[in-house]
Amino acid sequence: MLKEKALHYHKFPKPGKIDIVPTKNCISQSDLSLAYTPGVAEPCREIEKDPQTAYDYTGKGNLVAVITDGTAVLGLGDIGPLAGKPVMEGKALLFKRFADINSYDIEVDQTDPAEFIKIVKALEPTFGGINLEDISSPRCFEIEEKLKEIMDIPVFHDDQHGTAVIGAAAVLNGLEIADKKPENCKVVLTGPGAAGVAIARHLINCGFMEENIFAYDSKGVLYKGRKDLKSPYHSFLFRDTEKRTLIELFENADVFIGTSVKGMVTEEMITRMAPNPVILPMANPDPEIPYETVVKVRPDAMAGTGRSDYPNQVNNVLGFPAIFRGALDVRARKITENMKMAATHALMRVAKMPALKSVLDVYGLKELEFGRNYLIPKPFDPRVLVEVAASVGSAAMEEGVSRISIDIEKYKKDLTERFVHE
């Protein structure tokens, strides 16, 4: 049934999920002379004299590219750029729906990192920001790192940082409920790929001790002396430990985060965790351990998944639209660690706000209150955009990576008037 509905949704009333709509009238000879020749020459001249005026006279400042090579699409793997196009169109749809950001999806038939980097760099004049998507690990680290270095607009690999920003918000709010401090907590992470590595780094920035984060991949524990994983991007996760099994890692763990595969975690493993643990098995569509099992075996847990049909969904739509909204509106040159941290704390705040009636109505709920079953906001809460965008924009200005300064309180008021209708 889902297959038929999904295919029908993508095919009708016209194929795909994205359209292009003009922002100016073109219904008269006068309009035509302004939209194209001769009038269009005037903004061209201004931009030639001062490239920054492109933000004033074109759509660059509200345009993001969603770019992939199709090597790691959802849980489908390396299916190629063309087969990945529906996902990229979906991302563009979410940019527009949740942040009113225009987006083009760009599927690149090039898997060599150096060539891919050249292609994306060459697109810089067109866009206000680059959202990298579904690029396999560890190539994704090299690609993003280099593009951030050579480009003067924000480059953001959402599979890494979107998941990290939102996952960290859930973890930190969960630990607050459990009355635990990040620096005293043990974390177990399965699946240290793009998302897993970024989550670990972000947790360290949030106050977790590096030595208290333990990772496990398809070959086993990441321990010092292991020879088969030579990626420099994983070196910070290698631990001086005698533990070699996943069940050993779970002993007295306060947090579990899964970005791996179905069935990785057992009931016995979570029984070994410390009291009031945060358990986030986020593999899609099937978590590392079923949500029902978690709440049955560990009723004291703060549990979430990557799915929309259970509480505490770690969904990237809570991150990338609002993060880019804030970055674009201050014309940021990059997205920094401080900007990502600001986004995490903004999400934590929204979860503690009284629920909007519109949000309750969307989800068919009578009430929604911060607690074990509500650690992070719902995607349809418009205050996510307001709080995250304002926090990201403010952090960019404070760090000196913005091209312009704005009045943040006025900005929040403007966003509220545009997006919060209640």
Side-chain angles (χ1 to χ4, degrees):
M1 179 66 75
L2 176 62
K3 177 181 178 180
E4 287 75 16
K5 283 186 177 180
L7 293 176
H8 187 275
Y9 175 87
H10 283 78
K11 188 172 182 179
F12 299 102
K14 63 171 71 172
K17 298 192 285 284
I18 296 298
D19 220 339
I20 296 176
V21 179
T23 61
K24 303 292 192 295
N25 288 329
C26 189
I27 57 177
S28 68
Q29 181 181 354
S30 175
D31 291 339
L32 187 58
S33 68
L34 293 173
Y36 200 49
T37 186
V40 74
E42 298 309 321
C44 291
R45 292 188 179 106
E46 294 299 313
I47 295 168
E48 182 185 19
K49 287 187 293 184
D50 180 4
Q52 295 308 311
T53 61
Y55 288 92
D56 300 314
Y57 298 119
T58 77
K60 176 183 173 74
N62 195 47
L63 185 61
V64 170
V66 179
I67 304 182
T68 190
D69 62 4
T71 54
V73 179
L74 298 177
L76 304 174
D78 185 357
I79 62 174
L82 182 58
K85 186 174 177 65
V87 178
M88 305 312 121
E89 285 190 353
K91 208 80 171 191
L93 181 153
L94 297 178
F95 265 119
K96 191 65 178 178
R97 167 61 181 81
F98 289 98
D100 196 25
I101 293 172
N102 297 320
S103 180
Y104 295 152
D105 64 291
I106 300 176
E107 294 76 33
V108 179
D109 190 10
Q110 177 57 260
T111 58
D112 177 79
E115 293 302 315
F116 185 87
I117 289 166
K118 287 180 183 178
I119 292 168
V120 177
K121 167 61 179 171
L123 296 171
E124 184 169 355
T126 305
F127 298 99
I130 302 293
N131 187 97
L132 299 174
E133 193 75 23
D134 290 352
I135 300 171
S136 63
S137 172
R139 299 163 54 258
C140 61
F141 303 120
E142 174 190 352
I143 288 169
E144 187 199 36
E145 190 176 82
K146 184 63 178 177
L147 287 173
K148 288 172 69 174
E149 176 188 326
I150 64 176
M151 297 185 79
D152 200 35
I153 57 175
V155 177
F156 186 80
H157 184 207
D158 186 51
D159 299 311
Q160 290 186 59
H161 310 298
T163 312
V165 163
I166 300 149
V171 169
L172 291 172
N173 269 349
L175 293 181
E176 182 179 318
I177 292 169
D179 195 24
K180 296 182 181 182
K181 302 294 184 184
E183 60 269 25
N184 299 326
C185 290
K186 177 182 177 182
V187 179
V188 175
L189 173 72
T190 60
V197 167
I199 289 169
R201 289 195 181 280
H202 195 57
L203 289 179
I204 293 167
N205 291 334
C206 289
F208 289 79
M209 305 303 292
E210 182 173 310
E211 62 268 24
N212 290 339
I213 300 176
F214 295 84
Y216 187 95
D217 68 6
S218 60
K219 302 289 180 62
V221 176
L222 271 61
Y223 62 89
K224 286 185 178 179
R226 203 177 124 175
K227 304 297 185 184
D228 62 309
L229 184 59
K230 301 183 184 301
S231 164
Y233 302 101
H234 292 83
S235 59
F236 79 104
L237 284 172
F238 282 75
R239 298 287 167 262
D240 186 8
T241 178
E242 298 300 318
K243 294 179 172 61
R244 295 293 182 268
T245 65
L246 185 55
I247 195 168
E248 289 178 285
L249 292 184
F250 267 89
E251 196 70 45
N252 291 318
D254 300 280
V255 179
F256 166 68
I257 300 173
T259 56
S260 50
V261 295
K262 172 185 178 182
M264 177 71 77
V265 175
T266 66
E267 290 187 24
E268 184 180 356
M269 290 176 187
I270 62 173
T271 62
R272 297 195 177 199
M273 296 182 74
N276 299 304
V278 178
I279 301 177
L280 299 177
M282 298 189 296
N284 261 320
D286 299 306
E288 285 80 358
I289 181 170
Y291 177 82
E292 295 87 351
T293 301
V294 173
V295 295
K296 180 188 74 174
V297 175
R298 293 302 304 254
D300 61 332
M302 274 69 62
T305 67
R307 294 172 56 134
S308 60
D309 50 352
Y310 296 120
N312 299 322
Q313 182 193 16
V314 179
N315 188 323
N316 283 23
V317 75
L318 286 170
F320 69 88
I323 290 170
F324 268 100
R325 181 74 280 157
L328 291 173
D329 289 341
V330 298
R331 301 180 185 177
R333 300 179 185 277
K334 61 180 69 176
I335 294 173
T336 66
E337 295 303 318
N338 286 340
M339 293 161 74
K340 289 182 281 186
M341 187 69 67
T344 289
H345 286 289
L347 288 171
M348 293 170 65
R349 289 196 304 272
V350 175
K352 297 167 187 173
M353 295 177 178
L356 295 177
K357 182 179 183 303
S358 60
V359 176
L360 295 176
D361 289 345
V362 167
Y363 291 94
L365 300 172
K366 292 185 178 180
E367 60 182 7
L368 195 59
E369 186 175 341
F370 177 65
R372 292 179 186 274
N373 292 320
Y374 184 55
L375 301 175
I376 46 177
K378 297 290 189 182
F380 283 98
D381 191 329
R383 296 170 302 182
V384 169
L385 177 65
V386 176
E387 295 295 325
V388 173
S391 296
V392 167
S394 180
M397 291 189 294
E398 290 174 6
E399 202 166 354
V401 298
S402 65
R403 290 180 173 86
I404 61 172
S405 293
I406 61 175
D407 182 326
I408 287 295
E409 290 308 313
K410 182 179 183 300
Y411 178 56
K412 287 182 70 172
K413 183 179 178 182
D414 292 344
L415 288 176
T416 300
E417 289 176 352
R418 284 176 63 189
F419 296 99
V420 183
H421 306 297
E422 187 158 327

